[in-house]
């Protein structure tokens, strides 16, 4: 059973930073493109960022460009999301997910980690 476990969430003031981690077990993450998603209360889950298998290509939703950075350490089977200049509207549960590059949908999801940004 593939497991993705997020950590690093918490409560932070606006303007602050957090670094989320997504650790994988029973899977070799280098085979997968990885993504971060978030879901705020009462809202649909939305895409935040993605990174290619090698880490050479990344993409972000417009609202986080210039503030968030996705990265990966394939040797340690971990993906990160560095979040700077956090805003109250970034408050959400953040999920990491893994996708075979040839597929359009994500195959595996973590359980999520709560990020709360106070104003």
């Amino acid at each position: 059973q593939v497991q993705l476990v997020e950590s690093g969430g918490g409560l932070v003031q606006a303007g602050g930073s957090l670094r989320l981690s997504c650790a994988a077990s029973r899977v070799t993450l280098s085979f997968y493109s990885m993504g971060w998603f978030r879901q705020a209360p009462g809202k649909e889950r939305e895409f935040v960022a993605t990174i290619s298998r090698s880490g050479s290509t990344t993409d972000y939703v417009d609202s986080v460009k210039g503030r968030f950075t996705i990265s990966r350490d394939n040797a340690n089977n971990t993906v990160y999301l560095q979040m700077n200049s956090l805003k109250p509207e970034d408050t959400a549960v953040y999920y990491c997910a893994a996708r075979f590059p040839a597929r359009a949908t994500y195959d595996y999801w973590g359980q999520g980690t709560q990020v709360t940004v106070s104003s």
Side-chain angles (χ1 to χ4, degrees):
Q1 182 79 15
V2 172
Q3 280 192 318
L4 300 177
V5 179
E6 302 94 337
S7 62
L11 174 64
V12 63
Q13 288 188 329
S17 298
L18 285 174
R19 187 196 196 199
L20 305 184
S21 298
C22 172
S25 59
R26 303 186 184 94
V27 66
T28 302
L29 271 192
S30 61
F31 293 162
Y32 296 85
S33 297
M34 298 297 296
W36 284 96
F37 293 77
R38 66 186 180 186
Q39 187 167 22
K43 294 188 176 181
E44 298 280 320
R45 184 171 61 194
E46 69 166 344
F47 163 79
V48 175
T50 187
I51 188 166
S52 61
R53 291 172 57 191
S54 66
S56 61
T57 303
T58 59
D59 193 21
Y60 301 87
V61 66
D62 285 347
S63 60
V64 308
K65 284 180 180 177
R67 300 188 298 121
F68 290 11
T69 303
I70 188 171
S71 62
R72 65 191 299 160
D73 180 349
N74 286 338
N76 288 306
N77 244 17
T78 304
V79 178
Y80 304 97
L81 186 67
Q82 177 67 44
M83 306 187 296
N84 299 328
S85 303
L86 282 161
K87 304 175 180 180
E89 52 263 43
D90 294 319
T91 295
V93 178
Y94 283 71
Y95 301 89
C96 69
R99 176 177 64 86
F100 279 114
R103 291 171 59 83
T105 57
Y106 282 80
D107 301 279
Y108 305 110
W109 293 83
Q111 84 292 344
T113 186
Q114 176 70 47
V115 171
T116 303
V117 184
S118 64
S119 56

